């Protein structure tokens, strides 16, 4: 196979898959057809395609072909999971709740007894309906990757294929868990004492989303102004949030829409979708800015760049740009300027923003610690037989890291396939590096400085041509670590 053919077919396939993800994820199409799409491009599944990608010398192409093999093999499982999720329902305290709305309900229910019942029902129904599928899906992915890379160890095979140093990242993550343990425990206890009303030792998973919901500030984050605010803020930075119509925003409430927001490119850089199912308050703003970071990154890529730079590469990079935007919503100056937090409250404007910042900082450290623990857990899981013996290890590790008691039943569903957790952790590292670089060059309020906009746009324009560690070096930093991220959070928590 010639490289031009490989790339041309690849572009067609990625466009078709992107459109299918958009339509099914947004709840616009009930019957996902991923398998059919892969089969239309079956030529990319052949040995010839892998050989061509390997000979090209472009690591991202080889990784992508392996991903396609995985994608085709797991597509039937993904389709069944999507279909199951869209029809599954829960009954809690006599109320019928669609399975896909459980997360939103958990986040918005002050009644702890109801939350605990809902979370138990969600975990039990989810395990019964999906754990078999998830088991087979994860095992199939491991089979394909190990067979194609000639390595019996899946973790090592992924590390080689992706260029991510998973062992180093895992030891950095373990150190992060140690270094922030006391800081986190004290801050969490302070927050949950008033918010949940039980001693820290009694917190359970059902409390976590509610604990960080920050609903007292909802009126400062009106849903109907989210998009216009983004357009205004980006304009002040000299950027176009909708990239001249390349980005389509879908924030409507719709049955069958995935609760987890996402951004999907259909043609890079010309057609990008941002999909969000609103659940209220600051969380929506943060998620919207996150997905907008992805969308603007895809839409900013130079169309003259080759396929692998526009579509492929280290997803830690696009996640870092997404986080660069979503972390703006944690900044005091940004909150004062772009939200109603700027209005004077009872405790004064500054006090109110500081209170919110404390809650957001605890939530941020919670998330970072959760992902650090997830990486260690997933490395152990992929070296196991995916059997129920791993459920205890899951519950233990995630509970210890987050301070909320988790149940084991989620041990196969709370897994990001392909070590996406590692991409998030690297993104946290890169984002903190980018943000500190921007503050140094353009000051604290770089988000309204057109020179900073030009600078960021230039970093986005190569797509993912460079891996995250290389992007850090491009702005003059030695490499990736958690030090900057922790240093930034600490003052808000102490
Ligand atoms: Zn993301």
């Amino acid at each position: 196979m010639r490289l031009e053919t490989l790339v041309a077919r690849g572009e067609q396939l990625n466009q078709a898959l992107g459109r299918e993800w958009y339509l099914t994820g947004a709840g616009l199409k009930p019957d996902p057809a991923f398998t059919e799409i892969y089969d239309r491009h079956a030529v990319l599944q052949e040995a010839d395609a892998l050989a061509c990608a390997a000979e090209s010398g472009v690591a991202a192409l080889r990784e992508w072909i392996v991903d396609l093999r995985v994608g085709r093999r797991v597509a039937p499982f993904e389709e069944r999971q999507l279909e199951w999720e869209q029809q599954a329902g829960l009954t809690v305290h006599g109320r019928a709740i669609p399975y896909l709305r459980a997360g939103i309900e958990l986040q918005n229910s002050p009644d702890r007894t109801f939350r605990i019942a809902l979370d138990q029902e969600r975990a039990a129904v989810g395990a019964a309906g999906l754990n078999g599928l998830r088991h087979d899906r994860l095992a199939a992915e491991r089979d394909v990757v190990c067979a194609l890379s000639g390595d019996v160890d899946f973790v090592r095979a992924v590390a080689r294929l992706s260029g991510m140093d998973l062992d180093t990242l895992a030891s950095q993550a373990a150190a992060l868990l140690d270094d922030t343990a006391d800081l986190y425990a004290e801050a969490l206890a302070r927050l949950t004492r008033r918010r949940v009303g039980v001693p820290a030792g009694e917190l359970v998973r059902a409390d976590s989303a509610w604990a960080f919901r920050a609903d007292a500030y909802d009126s400062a984050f009106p849903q109907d102004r989210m998009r216009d605010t983004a357009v205004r803020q980006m304009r002040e930075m000299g950027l176009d949030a909708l990239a001249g119509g390349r980005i389509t925003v879908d924030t409507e409430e719709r049955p069958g829409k995935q609760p987890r927001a996402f951004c999907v490119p259909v043609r890079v850089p010309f057609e990008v979708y941002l999909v969000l199912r609103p659940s209220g308050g600051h969380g929506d703003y943060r998620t919207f800015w996150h997905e907008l970071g992805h969308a603007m990154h895809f839409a900013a890529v130079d169309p003259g760049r080759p396929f692998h730079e526009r579509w492929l590469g280290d997803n830690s990079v696009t996640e870092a740009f997404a986080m660069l935007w979503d972390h703006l919503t944690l900044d005091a100056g940004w909150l004062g300027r772009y939200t109603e937090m700027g209005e004077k409250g009872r405790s004064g404007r500054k006090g109110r923003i500081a209170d919110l910042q404390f809650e957001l900082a605890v939530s941020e450290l919670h998330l970072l610690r959760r992902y650090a623990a997830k990486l260690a857990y997933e490395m152990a899981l992929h070296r196991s037989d995916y059997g129920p013996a791993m459920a205890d290890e899951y519950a233990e590790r995630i509970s210890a890291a987050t301070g909320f008691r988790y149940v084991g039943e989620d041990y196969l569903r709370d897994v990001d396939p392909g070590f996406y957790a590692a991409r998030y952790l690297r993104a946290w590292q890169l984002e903190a590096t980018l943000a500190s670089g921007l503050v140094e060059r353009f000051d604290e309020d770089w988000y309204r400085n057109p020179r900073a906009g030009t600078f960021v746009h230039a970093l986005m324009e190569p797509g993912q041509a460079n891996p995250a560690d290389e992007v850090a070096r491009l702005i003059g930093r030695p490499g990736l670590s958690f030090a900057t991220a922790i240093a930034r959070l600490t003052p808000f928590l102490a």
Side-chain angles (χ1 to χ4, degrees):
M1 183 184 286
R2 289 176 38 218
L3 189 58
E4 300 87 89
T5 315
L6 180 84
V7 162
R9 291 304 292 257
E11 184 114 31
Q12 289 169 12
L13 171 64
N14 278 13
Q15 289 182 7
L17 288 174
R19 197 170 300 283
E20 194 68 8
W21 268 120
Y22 164 59
L23 293 173
T24 53
L28 294 166
K29 182 174 183 292
D31 50 338
F34 295 106
T35 309
E36 199 187 307
I37 294 170
Y38 279 110
D39 288 348
R40 235 185 284 148
H41 300 274
V43 60
L44 293 169
Q45 301 284 329
E46 288 166 12
D48 215 21
L50 185 61
C52 172
E55 278 160 26
S56 73
V58 179
L61 281 176
R62 188 165 187 276
E63 187 187 3
W64 164 67
I65 290 289
V66 175
D67 281 348
L68 289 188
R69 292 272 192 108
V70 171
R72 168 62 185 86
R73 184 75 183 276
V74 305
F77 304 118
E78 299 277 1
E79 289 168 1
R80 277 160 61 199
Q81 179 167 348
L82 273 170
E83 282 163 350
W84 184 90
E85 287 172 346
Q86 289 187 347
Q87 55 72 40
L90 309 170
T91 307
V92 184
H93 291 183
R95 246 184 83 196
I97 297 166
Y99 179 80
L100 284 178
R101 274 201 69 88
I104 294 175
E105 293 287 335
L106 280 168
Q107 199 180 320
N108 287 309
S109 304
D111 177 351
R112 187 163 193 256
T113 318
F114 171 78
R115 279 203 312 269
I116 291 174
L118 169 58
D119 199 44
Q120 276 168 357
E121 177 80 352
R122 174 205 62 76
V125 170
L130 293 174
N131 276 11
L133 263 179
R134 292 290 289 174
H135 174 283
D136 295 349
R137 188 230 176 274
L138 293 171
E141 173 167 7
R142 183 168 68 184
D143 284 352
V144 173
V145 172
C146 289
L148 292 180
S149 54
D151 194 328
V152 292
D153 183 59
F154 176 70
V155 178
R156 198 169 49 212
V158 170
R160 275 213 201 112
L161 205 55
S162 66
M164 289 192 291
D165 184 345
L166 291 177
D167 289 326
T168 300
L169 187 62
S171 52
Q172 290 175 335
L176 169 111
L177 287 173
D178 280 348
D179 294 348
T180 60
D182 293 343
L183 180 71
Y184 178 67
E186 279 162 33
L188 181 68
R190 211 170 109 201
L191 172 73
T192 52
R193 205 178 304 130
R194 21 170 234 268
R195 181 85 190 147
V196 186
V198 299
E202 288 174 27
L203 294 168
V204 293
R205 187 199 173 281
D207 296 321
S208 66
W210 169 252
F212 302 125
R213 174 62 178 77
D215 62 328
Y217 310 92
D218 277 6
S219 62
F221 301 94
Q223 237 170 60
D224 56 355
R225 239 173 287 164
M226 199 157 60
R227 178 190 153 123
D228 290 347
T229 304
V231 168
R232 172 163 75 96
Q233 188 239 296
M234 294 304 159
R235 197 190 304 128
E236 290 188 349
M237 214 188 347
L239 300 175
D240 178 356
L242 302 174
R246 291 176 176 188
I247 297 169
T248 301
V249 172
D250 172 358
T251 54
E252 267 172 52
E253 171 60 25
R254 187 179 304 125
K257 196 174 190 178
Q258 285 288 323
R260 190 168 169 171
F262 63 93
C263 166
V264 62
V266 171
R267 290 182 302 134
V268 185
F270 301 113
E271 188 179 354
V272 182
Y273 293 89
L274 186 169
V275 180
L276 179 138
R277 189 172 187 179
S279 58
H282 176 271
D284 281 346
Y285 271 60
R286 181 165 189 184
T287 307
F288 186 87
W289 258 255
H290 179 95
E291 301 308 332
L292 186 65
H294 283 304
M296 289 176 70
H297 183 215
F298 285 120
V301 177
D302 175 356
R305 285 192 172 259
F307 168 74
H308 65 271
E309 293 180 0
R310 282 180 294 120
W311 280 96
L312 312 178
D314 178 7
N315 281 336
S316 319
V317 175
T318 186
E319 292 302 340
F321 284 109
M323 285 188 188
L324 184 66
W325 269 199
D326 82 49
H327 278 84
L328 288 175
T329 72
L330 276 58
D331 181 88
W334 189 95
L335 287 164
R337 186 174 178 87
Y338 298 108
T339 73
E340 311 286 309
M341 292 296 291
E343 308 297 308
K344 229 175 150 151
R346 251 173 310 168
S347 57
R349 168 184 159 157
K350 272 202 173 134
R352 205 161 163 255
I353 290 181
D355 288 346
L356 172 61
Q357 275 190 300
F358 167 72
E359 294 190 24
L360 298 176
V362 188
S363 165
E364 169 76 356
L365 188 52
H366 164 260
L367 210 57
L368 186 52
R369 289 176 57 83
R370 196 176 110 79
Y371 270 89
K374 256 165 75 74
L375 179 63
Y377 164 67
E378 290 179 10
M379 285 172 85
L381 177 73
H382 289 302
R383 285 173 165 148
S384 78
D385 62 357
Y386 302 112
M390 291 306 292
D392 286 345
E393 177 153 358
Y394 166 78
E396 242 164 67
R397 280 187 187 269
I398 312 293
S399 304
T402 61
F404 296 92
R405 201 172 68 249
Y406 272 61
V407 292
E409 286 155 304
D410 291 324
Y411 84 106
L412 292 173
R413 279 165 298 131
D414 189 9
V415 170
D416 298 298
F419 278 111
Y420 209 81
R423 308 279 187 192
Y424 282 129
L425 288 168
R426 283 159 60 82
W428 252 300
Q429 297 178 323
L430 176 59
E431 183 278 329
T433 301
L434 288 172
S436 74
L438 283 161
V439 170
E440 232 167 64
R441 283 178 174 82
F442 306 107
D443 229 331
E444 296 287 340
D445 60 348
W446 58 265
Y447 48 76
R448 60 187 190 96
N449 182 337
R451 287 187 305 127
T454 307
F455 183 84
V456 176
H457 193 272
L459 285 173
M460 287 178 157
E461 183 272 333
Q464 297 192 125
N466 302 300
D469 35 313
E470 190 56 38
V471 176
R473 281 188 283 273
L474 283 174
I475 61 159
R477 302 295 158 117
L480 299 174
S481 84
F482 289 115
T484 315
I486 298 174
R488 179 175 56 180
L489 272 178
T490 306
F492 298 110
L493 297 170

